[in-house]
Amino acid sequence: MHKTTLLALSSVVAAANVSLPAIPLSPPSTASQILDRRLASFSIEFSYLPSFGGNKTHPNELTRNLMNRLVERTGLGPDIRPGGITVDSSIFDPNAPALDLSLSPSQGIWRTTYGPAYFESYLVFPNTSRFILDVNLGNDSITIAQNQIEAGIKYLGWDRIFAIQLGNEPDHYIYSRPGWTSAAFTAKFLNWTSTLTKSLNLPARIFQANGFAEDPTSSAPMTTVSTINEGIDKTGVIKLFDQHTYQYSTCDPARNAKATLEALVNHNNITAYLDLWKPQIAAARGVGKEFVIGEYSSISCSGKQNVSDTYGQAMWLADTILYGASLNISRLYMHQGATLVLQSSQQANSPGFSWYDLWYPIPSERYGSARASPSYVAYLLVTEAVGKSGQSRLALVRDSSLPSTLAVYAIWDPSSRTNGIARMVILNMSLRRQDVAADDALTVTVDVGKYQRGGNTTAKVKRMSSPGVESKDSDRVTWAGQSYSAGVPVGSEVVEQLDAGKVNVRGSEGVLITF
């Protein structure tokens, strides 16, 4: 058991004073939908699931511990989507071992063959986690897909399968299929889903549609909007819509140059990027469906050393997930994987686990020991902000007087408070570097006294912090004073109190205030 320490906040350095605008006592019309307790979920590269999950006799205890910390905060396990580019060259063989990879000379994965024992890797996840069953569309064989769905039903069961997905990022098939358009994809989806539903007697509204990779700009080959306009939802098989987001990339030198820590830890960049999906979210909701980000991370083609493997990614994650939730994205599935050399001939990375992974599941030459990455603490902040009630809603607090580096999210939760906001997240996105004294000037003092309850109720503050934005030492990155390298809390929990209704937030820190 870990001791909890209560600390009163005090001003250590001169700080900019920030007053927040009035916040409604109940959720305004602009507040989000009710937050899904599985808001912060995971996608795991299909061919690497056994590394992350282990098997029945040797489960990955690091993964189990990390997932259990999330369950403690929301009461539910996150959704898990084994998928990614390797699913589109995968095949189920009932006589195969758990995993059999066919590799190219450059160590690219040409074929993933898996057998019944592959499904033992799912056992490590909480029994309240649901699974997205992603199957091979890329090889254009409905027989392969049908065999994979049958195996998933047999070895996972309908009580664990939340949705079925066809392929991974099918908009990228344009590079290998002449004439592949949005209309061609929609026709293929309608044909396959009708055939599979009839052949396997699938339940209605079971498919997670689309899963496109490209940002939904005017040049995107296909989007949720385009497929809905083409009638993709006319047969009643779709449960929800999905697109993927990678804000930056190392897939080629031009984009690699833009993938910097300064660009990543930037609230305005995050909001401008996610705002691109507003029409897609609206289109899905317009036909009564959820919209999810079924795979995402900071930097595609496996991230970037000294950027996505730092604590800075924790700041990016917290702001990205909470802002996405404010736009009514129901769940975001952070991708865990490895460099896949067949993705790009120009990418910056070599084979190995991705620099953006939230945890490194097994010892490796690149990363050393198995452990949580510095960004894991963001999932603790987010899940604790969402809570267990299943009634929470949030909104980004907008006001022209607020610094552009400050992101403030108000959270209403009638299960704990009916006459005001229940919780608040404050993220100071200023880049505070390790051992740079001048960066202490980035601290802000935020007055939240007006949101406190009356009487003797004392607001509680939990803090996400590190030595600096560029820190890679998971043992020194903390949530409420505790580190989580092995998936279990180390140190005494530190719960702070407000100082005369105010809270100090240093650069590259986040706080969760519970009123």
Side-chain angles (χ1 to χ4, degrees):
M1 181 177 293
H2 295 274
K3 180 181 177 182
T4 297
T5 303
L6 287 172
L7 295 180
L9 297 176
S10 60
S11 298
V12 178
V13 297
N17 292 305
V18 174
S19 293
L20 299 177
I23 296 176
L25 298 180
S26 57
S29 60
T30 53
S32 73
Q33 62 190 0
I34 291 176
L35 300 178
D36 191 326
R37 287 187 284 166
R38 298 181 176 97
L39 172 66
S41 285
F42 294 101
S43 168
I44 299 176
E45 188 62 46
F46 192 84
S47 297
Y48 288 86
L49 180 66
S51 294
F52 284 88
N55 56 36
K56 186 181 295 184
T57 57
H58 296 88
N60 189 307
E61 293 298 339
L62 173 62
T63 297
R64 189 196 305 276
N65 287 336
L66 293 169
M67 296 301 105
N68 285 342
R69 302 293 79 77
L70 307 182
V71 175
E72 289 168 356
R73 287 160 170 81
T74 65
L76 293 174
D79 276 358
I80 306 296
R81 174 230 181 212
I85 194 171
T86 54
V87 81
D88 269 337
S89 57
S90 65
I91 186 169
F92 176 77
D93 180 346
N95 299 311
L99 190 69
D100 183 13
L101 301 180
S102 299
L103 303 178
S104 73
S106 60
Q107 300 304 295
I109 297 174
W110 269 339
R111 169 70 73 191
T112 300
T113 303
Y114 63 104
Y118 177 87
F119 292 96
E120 293 182 13
S121 297
Y122 291 73
L123 297 174
V124 78
F125 297 102
N127 58 16
T128 50
S129 285
R130 309 174 304 190
F131 301 119
I132 310 302
L133 186 61
D134 197 1
V135 299
N136 186 342
L137 177 65
N139 286 147
D140 204 17
S141 166
I142 197 169
T143 300
I144 290 176
Q146 179 167 323
N147 290 341
Q148 291 178 313
I149 295 172
E150 288 178 316
I153 295 169
K154 179 177 181 179
Y155 295 106
L156 295 177
W158 281 118
D159 59 327
R160 303 302 300 277
I161 297 172
F162 178 68
I164 298 170
Q165 186 166 36
L166 300 180
N168 178 73
E169 300 178 349
D171 51 333
H172 278 182
Y173 299 174
I174 60 173
Y175 302 116
S176 58
R177 296 186 186 182
W180 186 248
T181 62
S182 181
F185 166 76
T186 296
K188 174 75 70 174
F189 181 91
L190 289 169
N191 177 273
W192 274 40
T193 54
S194 295
T195 300
L196 291 168
T197 297
K198 183 177 180 180
S199 299
L200 299 175
N201 193 28
L202 299 177
R205 294 179 294 280
I206 192 60
F207 285 93
Q208 181 166 307
N210 297 347
F212 302 138
E214 292 297 309
D215 297 345
T217 63
S218 59
S219 62
M222 53 195 76
T223 65
T224 296
V225 169
S226 70
T227 58
I228 288 175
N229 289 340
E230 290 153 1
I232 198 170
D233 192 39
K234 66 184 179 183
T235 57
V237 300
I238 293 176
K239 189 172 197 172
L240 69 163
F241 288 93
D242 164 25
Q243 290 192 226
H244 298 174
T245 66
Y246 285 88
Q247 191 171 344
Y248 298 97
S249 181
T250 53
C251 291
D252 55 72
R255 286 185 289 173
N256 184 30
K258 298 177 182 178
T260 65
L261 201 54
E262 291 77 11
L264 187 71
V265 187
N266 184 300
H267 177 65
N268 288 341
N269 288 353
I270 289 167
T271 58
Y273 180 67
L274 288 179
D275 282 348
L276 294 174
W277 275 265
K278 284 181 177 179
Q280 314 308 315
I281 300 164
R285 288 167 61 83
V287 293
K289 304 295 192 298
E290 288 186 315
F291 183 88
V292 301
I293 300 298
E295 178 184 323
Y296 81 103
S297 196
S298 53
I299 303 172
S300 66
C301 281
S302 290
K304 186 172 183 176
Q305 188 176 16
N306 299 323
V307 180
S308 50
D309 59 339
T310 69
Y311 169 77
Q313 171 136 314
M315 297 299 300
W316 175 85
L317 273 171
D319 202 12
T320 292
I321 298 170
L322 294 175
Y323 187 67
S326 79
L327 299 180
N328 291 324
I329 296 171
S330 294
R331 290 172 299 285
L332 296 90
Y333 296 71
M334 187 189 179
H335 197 55
Q336 313 301 302
T339 303
L340 302 163
V341 297
L342 298 183
Q343 277 186 312
S344 168
S345 61
Q346 297 180 294
Q347 64 180 298
N349 292 318
S350 57
F353 286 109
S354 299
W355 296 110
Y356 55 58
D357 283 349
L358 206 68
W359 72 102
Y360 311 125
I362 58 176
S364 64
E365 183 177 348
R366 177 183 285 183
Y367 295 110
S369 62
R371 66 191 187 283
S373 79
S375 55
Y376 174 73
V377 291
Y379 262 54
L380 299 179
L381 181 153
V382 168
T383 51
E384 206 156 322
V386 171
K388 295 182 178 181
S389 72
Q391 300 179 51
S392 299
R393 299 173 66 187
L394 65 73
L396 175 67
V397 177
R398 299 177 184 271
D399 194 85
S400 59
S401 67
L402 296 180
S404 62
T405 53
L406 204 65
V408 181
Y409 294 91
I411 302 167
W412 295 266
D413 183 353
S415 73
S416 60
R417 189 181 187 187
T418 57
N419 63 341
I421 58 172
R423 296 179 290 280
M424 176 182 286
V425 173
I426 303 174
L427 304 172
N428 185 345
M429 303 292 281
S430 300
L431 271 66
R432 176 181 52 82
R433 296 157 294 173
Q434 187 170 342
D435 299 324
V436 178
D439 285 357
D440 285 339
L442 301 171
T443 299
V444 295
T445 298
V446 184
D447 188 345
V448 297
K450 69 181 80 171
Y451 314 118
Q452 293 188 87
R453 300 173 188 248
N456 296 322
T457 303
T458 302
K460 297 179 180 179
V461 180
K462 291 188 177 182
R463 186 177 302 270
M464 184 175 77
S465 191
S466 75
V469 69
E470 77 278 40
S471 177
K472 299 183 184 182
D473 188 349
S474 300
D475 291 328
R476 299 182 66 197
V477 171
T478 58
W479 168 246
Q482 296 174 309
S483 61
Y484 288 84
S485 289
V488 293
V490 174
S492 296
E493 182 181 49
V494 177
V495 179
E496 306 169 25
Q497 297 178 354
L498 300 176
D499 179 15
K502 298 178 181 179
V503 60
N504 283 343
V505 188
R506 295 190 300 166
S508 305
E509 279 191 342
V511 298
L512 171 65
I513 306 169
T514 301
F515 294 103

